[in-house]
């Protein structure tokens, strides 16, 4: 009663406050979180071509069905991205400074795209282990708040790009006090100790994460002002972030100290959706890791468990291509589901990680997606090694890796321990 009167009397402010709470809560109300209530659905078969013919060997998969599925995801889900840009330069802002108490060599690369007044810089931070023989395999990761937030290291360049507002500050600018604020998500020392390079890029350098009509970031850079009208298949922000990861890979390929044939691409949440799509479009990524990626990432959309297609297209209208909105409340009509995105990784090692408390991302739907991708891996002779979702903290490490971590939506040291074991298994 009291709350009701308060909301009525102070209407504007309190309603806004309440809405903000609902928007930021881990499990928004009014969505499905009860497994018993998931209705039955039929997944599209990754091994049946559009013309109805069955895929019986890897040759047909590679030459016919895989390109077909990739094209469907481009046209209906993430949108079509352009290729390598005409103007691209790698500037070594910092070259191999000894860092992290002697454990690492730090490099900072400015990937300069475009020319003249149309120019964009993507900053790549790289720590390579000092104690190992080159070339070293590594993890290319994409972060949420700026490279300077992944470690307290005071020499990391602070991003000048748009950042998401945090801690009550609202000017979308990064600050020195943000240094290291996301370091719990990045097990940099452990990665180096295990003989891997750690590279990271800030997603806001590539494309600021808000709906601005595709004018800023790489969309603005690569779209000519004549192309004002967007096509329903034009790329959204997830495709843009994935495209940026490919530009980072372009750089890694030029560095003889890095084993660019053994690079795992990794992201969390919306950036886990991004790493899956990056791995699908760019086969140079030898391993793909998606942490708690949920709807539009690893989770099956047809289950409508937790976040739905309609909800994601409404909260984040800029993430996917416009065609994806056709499947709002209409998932069964989509010619693909997310198990086919995982299948696009085949036969490369792919890792899907869920968290028990992350119902919004549908942990079970993420696992079922790996099972749905398995028939494609089987064509290549790889079994998943499980028929049922394992219990918490019981990882499965086949060619497809999966774990359900205890705890909430996050990246923790537990997740990294699994990714390192998985990388050892496949890279060493
Ligand atoms: C949520 C969104 C999820 C997930 C997450 C994140 O608001 O609903 O799909 O991407 O954000 O990226 O943190």
């Amino acid at each position: 009663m009291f709350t009701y009167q308060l909301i009525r009397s102070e209407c504007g402010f309190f309603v806004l406050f309440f809405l903000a709470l609902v928007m930021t809560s881990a499990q928004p109300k009014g969505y499905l979180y009860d497994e018993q209530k998931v209705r039955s659905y039929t997944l599209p078969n990754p091994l049946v071509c559009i013309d109805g013919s069955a895929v019986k060997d890897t040759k047909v998969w590679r030459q016919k069905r895989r390109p077909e599925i990739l094209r469907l995801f481009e046209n209906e889900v993430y949108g079509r991205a352009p290729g390598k840009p005409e103007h691209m330069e790698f500037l070594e802002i910092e070259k191999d400074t000894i860092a992290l108490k002697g454990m690492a060599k730090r490099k900072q690369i400015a990937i300069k795209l475009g020319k003249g007044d149309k120019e964009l810089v993507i900053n790549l931070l790289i720590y390579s282990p000092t104690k190992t023989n080159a070339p070293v395999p590594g993890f290319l990761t994409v972060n949420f708040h700026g490279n300077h937030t992944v470690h307290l290291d005071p020499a990391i360049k602070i991003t000048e790009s748009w950042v998401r507002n945090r801690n009550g500050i609202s000017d979308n600018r990064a600050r020195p006090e943000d240094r290291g604020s996301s370091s719990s998500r990045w097990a940099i020392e452990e990665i180096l100790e295990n003989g891997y390079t750690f590279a990271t890029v800030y997603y806001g350098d590539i494309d600021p994460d808000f709906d601005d009509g595709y004018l800023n970031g790489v969309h603005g850079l690569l779209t000519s002002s004549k192309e004002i009208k967007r096509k329903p298949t034009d790329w959204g922000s997830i495709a843009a972030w994935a495209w940026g990861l490919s530009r980072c890979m372009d750089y890694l390929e030029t560095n003889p100290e890095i084993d660019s044939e053994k690079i795992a691409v990794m992201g969390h949440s919306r950036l886990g959706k991004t790493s899956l799509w990056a791995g699908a479009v760019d086969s140079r990524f030898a391993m793909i890791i998606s942490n708690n990626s949920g709807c539009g990432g690893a989770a099956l959309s047809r289950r409508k468990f937790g976040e739905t297609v309609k909800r994601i297209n409404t909260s984040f209208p800029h993430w996917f291509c416009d065609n994806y909105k056709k499947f709002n409340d209409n998932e069964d009509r989509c010619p693909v589901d997310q198990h086919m995105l995982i299948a696009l990784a085949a036969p490369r090692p792919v890792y899907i990680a869920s968290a028990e408390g992350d119902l919004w991302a549908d942990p079970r739907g993420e696992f079922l997606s790996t099972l749905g991708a398995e028939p494609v891996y089987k064509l290549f002779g790889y079994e998943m090694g499980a028929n049922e979702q394992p219990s918490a903290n019981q990882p499965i490490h086949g060619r497809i890796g999966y774990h359900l971590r205890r705890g909430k939506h996050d990246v923790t040291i537990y997740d990294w321990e699994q990714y390192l074991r998985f990388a050892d298994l496949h890279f060493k």
Side-chain angles (χ1 to χ4, degrees):
M1 188 62 180
F2 171 73
T3 319
Y4 177 63
Q5 277 171 356
L6 209 59
I7 287 176
R8 270 175 57 117
S9 58
E10 301 285 329
C11 199
F13 175 74
F14 282 101
V15 168
L16 274 179
F17 178 68
F18 175 73
L19 274 177
L21 257 184
V22 172
M23 295 290 286
T24 52
S25 101
Q27 255 105 245
K29 293 210 166 53
Y31 293 85
L32 180 65
Y33 301 109
D34 179 353
E35 193 56 40
Q36 305 305 319
K37 294 197 175 134
V38 175
R39 57 186 192 108
S40 66
Y41 56 88
T42 309
L43 290 178
N45 190 334
L47 293 181
V48 176
C49 297
I50 295 175
D51 64 12
S53 61
V55 180
K56 298 217 171 85
D57 56 46
T58 57
K59 191 170 168 225
V60 178
W61 167 258
R62 283 188 203 277
Q63 293 181 356
K64 184 171 175 188
R65 183 58 172 153
R66 188 183 189 279
E68 231 175 58
I69 295 177
L70 187 65
R71 188 39 66 99
L72 288 171
F73 272 107
E74 274 179 339
N75 287 345
E76 309 290 344
V77 184
Y78 303 103
R80 292 188 193 191
K84 228 179 186 172
E86 212 178 302
H87 301 285
M88 176 165 61
E89 250 183 284
F90 305 126
L91 306 177
E92 270 190 349
I93 303 295
E94 189 186 34
K95 193 181 177 171
D96 293 339
T97 313
I98 297 297
L100 312 187
K101 300 192 179 126
M103 276 184 91
K105 283 187 290 184
R106 186 187 53 237
K107 243 189 211 304
Q108 300 191 68
I109 308 295
I111 304 178
K112 224 177 100 185
L113 303 165
K115 229 167 99 165
D117 54 353
K118 270 204 157 192
E119 196 179 284
L120 187 83
V121 174
I122 299 175
N123 294 285
L124 181 63
L125 166 69
I126 305 174
Y127 288 112
S128 291
T130 36
K131 262 201 247 146
T132 169
N133 297 327
V136 270
F139 295 88
L140 172 62
T141 69
V142 50
N143 69 74
F144 270 92
H145 302 290
N147 294 350
H148 63 291
T149 64
V150 305
H151 199 283
L152 268 171
D153 181 350
I156 305 174
K157 193 173 173 284
I158 295 181
T159 184
E160 289 163 20
S161 303
W162 167 97
V163 292
R164 288 211 277 167
N165 289 324
R166 290 192 295 172
N167 311 325
I169 297 169
S170 56
D171 62 0
N172 298 110
R173 289 282 141 233
R175 291 181 158 62
E177 28 318 354
D178 302 332
R179 285 193 182 283
S181 54
S182 303
S183 57
S184 67
R185 287 189 170 171
W186 306 106
I188 298 176
E189 276 83 358
E190 287 76 5
I191 292 171
L192 293 165
E193 267 164 19
N194 283 277
Y196 294 94
T197 283
F198 171 83
T200 197
V201 62
Y202 169 49
Y203 84 141
D205 277 0
I206 307 167
D207 191 30
D209 189 3
F210 60 92
D211 182 17
D212 77 320
Y214 304 95
L215 296 174
N216 61 20
V218 292
H219 288 114
L221 180 82
L222 298 174
T223 312
S224 92
S225 48
K226 289 184 204 120
E227 302 168 42
I228 311 157
K229 195 161 163 29
R230 255 173 80 82
K231 291 192 283 299
T233 52
D234 277 350
W235 55 333
S237 290
I238 292 175
W241 300 324
W243 182 93
L245 285 165
S246 287
R247 304 296 67 85
C248 295
M249 186 56 155
D250 293 339
Y251 166 75
L252 295 177
E253 281 188 324
T254 67
N255 185 332
E257 292 177 9
I258 290 173
D259 187 349
S260 62
E261 288 179 7
K262 289 185 180 163
I263 296 293
V265 61
M266 180 276 179
H268 165 62
S269 203
R270 68 197 67 182
L271 300 176
K273 311 180 207 296
T274 301
S275 61
L276 283 170
W277 184 236
V281 290
D282 193 337
S283 55
R284 292 174 299 171
F285 293 114
M287 179 180 292
I288 300 150
I289 303 171
S290 136
N291 194 87
N292 305 180
S293 60
C295 181
L300 293 174
S301 306
R302 277 166 173 75
R303 281 169 48 82
K304 298 177 178 241
F305 190 104
E307 188 169 29
T308 61
V309 171
K310 181 178 180 185
R311 165 65 192 242
I312 205 166
N313 276 330
T314 309
S315 319
F316 308 104
H318 57 295
W319 281 4
F320 300 88
C321 70
D322 292 345
N323 263 344
Y324 198 42
K325 299 187 174 71
K326 293 191 297 195
F327 308 110
N328 289 351
D329 281 335
N330 197 17
E331 290 82 352
D332 292 305
R333 298 301 295 274
C334 188
V336 290
D337 208 321
Q338 301 305 111
H339 62 306
M340 292 155 90
L341 177 63
I342 300 175
L344 290 175
R348 294 164 292 167
V350 63
Y351 202 116
I352 306 300
S354 308
E356 221 176 17
D358 187 17
L359 294 184
W360 185 236
D362 187 13
R364 185 164 172 73
E366 292 177 322
F367 172 74
L368 292 174
S369 220
T370 64
L371 276 193
E374 193 194 20
V376 178
Y377 276 81
K378 277 190 175 158
L379 272 190
F380 289 92
Y382 298 114
E383 303 259 336
M384 167 103 191
N387 299 318
E388 278 303 321
Q389 187 179 20
S391 45
N393 291 20
Q394 297 294 323
I396 303 166
H397 289 175
R399 194 77 177 176
I400 302 178
Y402 177 83
H403 71 249
L404 174 69
R405 174 178 45 74
R406 291 214 173 87
K408 63 180 175 65
H409 185 72
D410 200 357
V411 194
T412 69
I413 185 67
Y414 178 84
D415 298 306
W416 276 108
E417 282 164 3
Q418 307 319 311
Y419 304 150
L420 284 166
R421 268 186 53 204
F422 193 68
D424 283 353
L425 185 69
H426 297 290
F427 281 169
K428 287 194 175 162

